[in-house]
């Protein structure tokens, strides 16, 4: 869901679309999903592209591009911001954003929000208060963010996601 950004909000903080982004698939736990992470241009925007096949075969079901937010051993403090903002396009599918914090340690734990893509670029605002905890009893600690992931998950489908901006608003 989107929200109106108040005029007195701090300036946006952009997360670099650099070589720190890594592709992770369910193959790390025996799944069979396979994908690619590449730099490309889509409709005149330089961007990252995550593409591939998500399959629930062999207890799998995800592709993810992720980036650490912690720097010099310190988590990112997003407490001055209201949420995440992403500029995305894709193949008219639903994807997730997963956040990890200093309060969780197991790989399957996260805080999640979903968004839908279209073939055209669109900016989506995901307020922190709409993220849902997954397999943890912790609350989202936005002062202790350690990682962000954009995820194709949970069903058999072809993932094709373009990201040209991501950050906090």
């Amino acid at each position: 869901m989107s929200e109106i950004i108040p005029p007195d909000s701090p300036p946006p903080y952009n997360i670099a679309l650099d070589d720190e982004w890594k592709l992770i698939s369910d193959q790390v736990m025996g799944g069979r999903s396979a994908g690619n992470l590449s730099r490309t241009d889509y409709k005149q925007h330089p961007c990252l592209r995550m593409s591939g096949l998500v399959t629930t075969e062999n207890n799998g079901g995800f592709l993810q591009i992720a980036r650490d937010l912690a720097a010099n051993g310190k988590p990112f403090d997003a407490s001055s911001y209201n949420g995440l903002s992403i500029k995305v396009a894709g193949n008219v599918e639903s994807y997730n954003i997963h956040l990890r914090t200093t309060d969780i340690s197991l790989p399957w734990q996260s805080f999640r929000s979903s968004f839908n893509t279209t073939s055209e670029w669109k900016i989506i605002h995901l307020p922190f208060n709409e993220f849902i905890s997954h397999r943890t009893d912790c609350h989202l600690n936005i002062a202790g963010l350690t990682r962000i992931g954009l995820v194709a998950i949970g069903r058999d489908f072809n993932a094709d996601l373009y990201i040209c901006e991501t950050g906090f608003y």
Side-chain angles (χ1 to χ4, degrees), residues 145-158:
L145 296 179
T146 59
R147 185 177 172 125
I148 182 174
L150 286 88
V151 190
I153 190 168
R155 64 196 187 286
D156 296 332
F157 74 107
N158 287 311

Side-chain angles (χ1 to χ4, degrees), residues 3-83:
E3 77 175 357
I4 306 233
I5 301 171
D8 59 346
S9 296
Y13 175 89
N14 291 318
I15 300 168
L17 295 177
D18 56 15
D19 292 337
E20 298 296 316
W21 288 86
K22 305 294 180 209
L23 177 75
I24 303 156
S25 76
D26 57 23
Q27 292 179 11
V28 299
M29 52 188 239
R32 298 227 161 74
S33 298
N36 294 298
L37 171 60
S38 59
R39 292 188 175 284
T40 190
D41 285 327
Y42 180 75
K43 296 193 177 191
Q44 301 177 341
H45 287 78
C47 57
L48 294 178
R49 179 184 187 195
M50 176 179 67
S51 59
L53 175 65
V54 178
T55 176
T56 54
E57 187 178 329
N58 208 38
N59 296 316
F62 76 88
L63 291 174
Q64 174 177 211
I65 58 170
R67 186 185 196 285
D68 288 336
L69 296 173
N72 301 320
K74 293 184 179 180
F76 182 81
D77 182 354
S79 58
S80 297
Y81 301 96
N82 295 320

Side-chain angles (χ1 to χ4, degrees), residues 1 23 27 34 83 86 91 114 120 124-126 128 132 151 154 157:
M1 183 177 289
L23 177 75
Q27 292 179 11
I86 55 175
N91 58 342
S114 296
E120 299 301 319
I124 301 169
H125 297 290
L126 302 162
F128 288 130
I132 298 168
V151 190
F157 74 107

